[in-house]
């Protein structure tokens, strides 16, 4: 089955700096790669996702890049703010393909701390 | 829309007891799933369903049963609770097909403690 590795496990940045979180996946058939943000005691919430037919996607201060050849994808947060402090999870799935539905395999998470 | 709802929010069980965690969604999603979240281990898939009457095992299915009699509901049953099942449980749902938005929406979670 799919295996997703995520690094680093903790990341501390100064407010205004950029943060980068990296994930690798093992299943070359995976085609959907979402990123979730989880605040303490809350549910995970999608912040951005990318499909395998796209190499990069941006949404304001957040961007995701995908390298299918190397089987890795990354989350980039620019101009970090204290409210960006949370745990971030990457995931991968064969989204929409027959039989698997939208079965996600998650990375183990990155605790991001944005310091003033 | 209420989105994905879960009950209860908190539960304490004794070893050997059984219980059902409820999950419902009102977005007409085909795909529903259950995850457990333990510190340092991310979210691990327990069971999932691609439609009413169809269920399958995920990564950590032992000790859990599911059924999907309607599109809206996907209950998770703990057969005989064990301390190793102490965790936070999340239900999630999404569309299945590639031509739809595949975002998975999560419920608020159930925090379960087994003594």
């Amino acid at each position: 089955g799919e295996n997703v590795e995520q690094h680093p496990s903790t990341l501390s940045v100064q407010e205004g700096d950029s943060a980068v979180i990296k994930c690798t996946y093992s299943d070359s058939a995976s085609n959907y790669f979402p990123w979730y943000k989880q605040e303490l005691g809350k549910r995970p919430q999608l912040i951005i996702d990318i499909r395998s037919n796209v190499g990069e996607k941006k949404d304001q201060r957040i961007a995701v890049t995908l390298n299918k050849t190397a089987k890795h994808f990354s989350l980039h947060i620019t101009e970090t703010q204290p409210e960006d402090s949370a745990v971030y999870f990457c995931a991968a799935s064969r989204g929409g393909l027959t039989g698997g539905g939208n079965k996600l395999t998650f990375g183990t998470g990155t605790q991001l701390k944005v310091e003033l | 829309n209420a989105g994905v709802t879960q009950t209860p929010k908190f539960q304490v069980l004794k070893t050997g007891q059984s219980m059902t965690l409820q999950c419902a969604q009102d977005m007409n999603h085909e795909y529903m799933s259950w995850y457990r979240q333990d510190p340092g281990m991310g979210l691990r898939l327990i069971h999932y369903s691609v439609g009413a009457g169809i269920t399958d095992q995920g990564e950590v299915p032992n000790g859990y049963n599911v059924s999907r009699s309607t599109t809206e509901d996907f209950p998770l049953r703990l057969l005989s609770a064990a301390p190793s099942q102490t965790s936070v449980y999340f239900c999630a749902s999404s569309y299945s097909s590639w031509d739809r938005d595949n975002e998975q929406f999560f419920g608020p979670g159930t925090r379960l403690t087994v003594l």
Side-chain angles (χ1 to χ4, degrees):
Chain A
E2 174 69 278
N3 182 49
V4 177
E5 295 189 357
Q6 183 172 348
H7 300 281
S9 56
T10 61
L11 179 60
S12 184
V13 299
Q14 295 293 316
E15 183 181 8
D17 287 349
S18 295
V20 180
I21 302 170
K22 298 181 179 181
C23 289
T24 60
Y25 61 98
S26 61
D27 185 358
S28 57
S30 288
N31 55 21
Y32 175 65
F33 306 92
W35 286 88
Y36 283 84
K37 175 183 180 181
Q38 187 177 29
E39 297 176 346
L40 189 62
K42 301 291 182 63
R43 72 189 81 185
Q45 292 197 300
L46 181 76
I47 55 171
I48 195 167
D49 57 9
I50 192 168
R51 291 188 173 184
S52 57
N53 57 352
V54 175
E56 183 176 3
K57 184 176 178 180
K58 290 183 179 179
D59 183 3
Q60 299 183 344
R61 297 186 296 110
I62 295 173
V64 57
T65 58
L66 171 66
N67 184 327
K68 288 189 294 182
T69 303
K71 290 191 282 188
H72 67 70
F73 56 113
S74 301
L75 177 70
H76 304 255
I77 305 174
T78 59
E79 301 172 17
T80 54
Q81 301 167 2
E83 51 265 39
D84 293 330
S85 296
V87 179
Y88 291 81
F89 292 97
C90 63
S93 87
R94 297 183 174 191
L97 293 179
T98 302
N102 194 15
K103 188 169 62 171
L104 286 174
T105 300
F106 282 84
T108 50
T110 296
Q111 175 73 62
L112 174 64
K113 183 177 181 181
V114 180
E115 299 176 333
L116 297 172
Chain B
N1 285 355
V4 181
T5 59
Q6 289 182 239
T7 56
K9 291 185 179 180
F10 301 94
Q11 183 70 50
V12 178
L13 293 177
K14 295 181 179 179
T15 296
Q17 287 185 317
S18 62
M19 78 159 296
T20 299
L21 279 62
Q22 301 292 343
C23 174
Q25 53 91 12
D26 61 359
M27 296 174 280
N28 203 30
H29 287 161
E30 305 95 350
Y31 183 82
M32 295 187 74
S33 55
W34 278 100
Y35 297 90
R36 60 176 290 173
Q37 184 173 34
D38 303 295
M41 301 188 73
L43 293 121
R44 293 182 292 167
L45 183 66
I46 304 172
H47 285 285
Y48 66 98
S49 169
V50 298
I54 306 169
T55 63
D56 206 346
Q57 297 181 350
E59 181 186 354
V60 287
N62 292 342
Y64 308 95
N65 272 356
V66 292
S67 59
R68 182 101 178 265
S69 56
T70 67
T71 299
E72 294 79 19
D73 300 296
F74 191 44
L76 178 72
R77 282 182 290 276
L78 278 69
L79 309 173
S80 177
S84 61
Q85 294 179 305
T86 293
S87 188
V88 179
Y89 292 84
F90 287 101
C91 178
S93 73
S94 73
Y95 293 115
S96 276
S97 58
W98 180 248
D99 61 347
R100 303 294 296 271
D101 182 352
N102 289 136
E103 176 181 357
Q104 281 201 27
F105 293 85
F106 283 79
T110 295
R111 187 173 295 275
L112 175 68
T113 301
V114 182
L115 303 175

